[in-house]
Amino acid sequence: MFRALCFMFHMSLIKTPSEIDKLREGGHLLAQILDAVIAAVKPGVSTGELNVLAEKLMREAGAEPAFLGYGARLTKQGQKVGGFPAVLCTSANEGVVHCIPSRERVLRDGDLIGLDIGIKYKGLFTDMARTVGVGTASATAKQLMRITKEALDLGIAQAKPGNTTGDIGHAVQIYVESHGFSVVRDLVGHGVGHAVHEKPPVPNFGKAGTGLLLEPGMVLAIEPMVNAGGPEVKWLDDGWSVVTADGKLSAHFEHTVLVKKFGYEILT
Ligand code: MG
């Protein structure tokens, strides 16, 4: 029984060729949608408007939002309550991840805005994020975005057979810390495909050679969350928004990545 369960767990981590085709199609679609949302980012636009645009583009493309209603619980009457209320996470400035879009939050020149987005397409999930400056970003903001994006690239480069999830986290952490920034510990990357969040966890820190051994067919959402100050974060009263504890800037970049026989493929 235990061996059978282990086998089933392992198999769910390895996507079939037909699942990979659908993930690739969905991932490319998701990247196009995020590009279009980013093109709409400018001073005077609200994060609520960006969310409306993202949902319109998803529905037009035949995709379902992956985050809307995420984490909802079922009441005794069978009603869903308390899930994430939007299709897009819009985390500005000290926002790390999972901040809720709002008509009241109008983007200002100099803001940093993290946009995290996920879809379900042909039954399978993909997930990605980028952080961009609104108008003119400060030198610190630009540096933070550049280092976070480069840390993602270095983490992705470790996503190959024979390496482990710890190799990914280690590569991200040493690069980020060598530039005087810090990686968030309370939230991590994850497997993705059959659900938005599945096993294994993919931390952005840790020791090389630890964690799960990577194999061809695994699909991972690799997503460094990098703070300009300390690594500590806190949750706001809305139950979703995660912000830096010291109020300093944070950036977030994410791709859905396939581990291949030789190396990797970015699906988003
Ligand atoms: Mg993710």
Side-chain angles (χ1 to χ4, degrees):
M1 176 68 178
F2 181 67
R3 271 178 73 170
L5 281 172
C6 285
F7 180 71
M8 281 168 62
F9 167 69
H10 183 78
M11 285 317 288
S12 73
L13 290 180
I14 309 293
K15 272 63 182 184
T16 65
S18 96
E19 287 170 339
I20 288 167
D21 286 343
K22 290 172 189 163
L23 285 162
R24 186 180 287 119
E25 215 182 316
H28 291 181
L29 194 60
L30 184 61
Q32 285 172 12
I33 292 170
L34 183 55
D35 278 345
V37 172
I38 286 173
V41 168
K42 61 181 179 196
V45 170
S46 73
T47 56
E49 288 170 288
L50 296 178
N51 181 65
V52 168
L53 172 63
E55 180 161 11
K56 177 175 167 281
L57 294 170
M58 288 177 191
R59 307 279 186 201
E60 281 173 1
E64 288 170 52
F67 300 167
L68 185 65
Y70 181 88
R73 57 184 175 80
L74 275 182
T75 63
K76 280 180 187 162
Q77 290 73 35
Q79 279 180 316
K80 282 185 176 179
V81 290
F84 191 74
V87 307
L88 183 70
C89 303
T90 52
S91 306
N93 302 329
E94 75 279 11
V96 178
V97 285
H98 306 164
C99 297
I100 302 171
S102 153
R103 291 269 181 197
E104 277 79 61
R105 180 57 173 94
V106 175
L107 296 175
R108 293 177 291 261
D109 188 59
D111 276 342
L112 204 63
I113 181 80
L115 300 166
D116 191 351
I117 190 165
I119 53 169
K120 183 183 185 187
Y121 184 72
K122 297 189 176 175
L124 292 158
F125 291 86
T126 48
D127 188 4
M128 76 183 298
R130 270 163 69 189
T131 299
V132 294
V134 182
T136 8
S138 70
T140 307
K142 281 183 187 162
Q143 167 83 342
L144 182 66
M145 287 189 282
R146 184 173 69 80
I147 298 304
T148 310
K149 171 67 173 64
E150 289 171 357
L152 171 61
D153 295 341
L154 290 168
I156 289 172
Q158 296 295 320
K160 53 189 179 189
N163 276 4
T164 66
T165 50
D167 291 320
I168 296 172
H170 183 71
V172 169
Q173 183 184 7
I174 56 167
Y175 186 71
V176 166
E177 292 179 353
S178 75
H179 287 86
F181 296 138
S182 60
V183 289
V184 172
R185 314 299 174 94
D186 292 353
L187 298 132
V188 297
H190 49 90
V192 61
H194 301 298
V196 193
H197 294 125
E198 54 188 38
K199 289 186 173 175
V202 185
N204 298 299
F205 54 91
K207 281 193 179 138
T210 61
L212 186 79
L213 188 65
L214 302 180
E215 293 177 48
M218 288 181 177
V219 178
L220 307 173
I222 303 176
E223 51 174 323
M225 289 151 260
V226 176
N227 294 350
E232 298 81 13
V233 298
K234 61 180 184 184
W235 272 256
L236 297 185
D237 289 342
D238 63 26
W240 289 103
S241 305
V242 182
V243 301
T244 57
D246 58 15
K248 293 190 176 169
L249 294 176
S250 187
H252 177 216
F253 283 79
E254 175 178 26
H255 272 305
T256 296
V257 179
L258 167 68
V259 180
K260 296 178 86 162
K261 196 170 175 189
F262 303 102
Y264 62 84
E265 178 185 336
I266 297 173
L267 298 178
T268 38

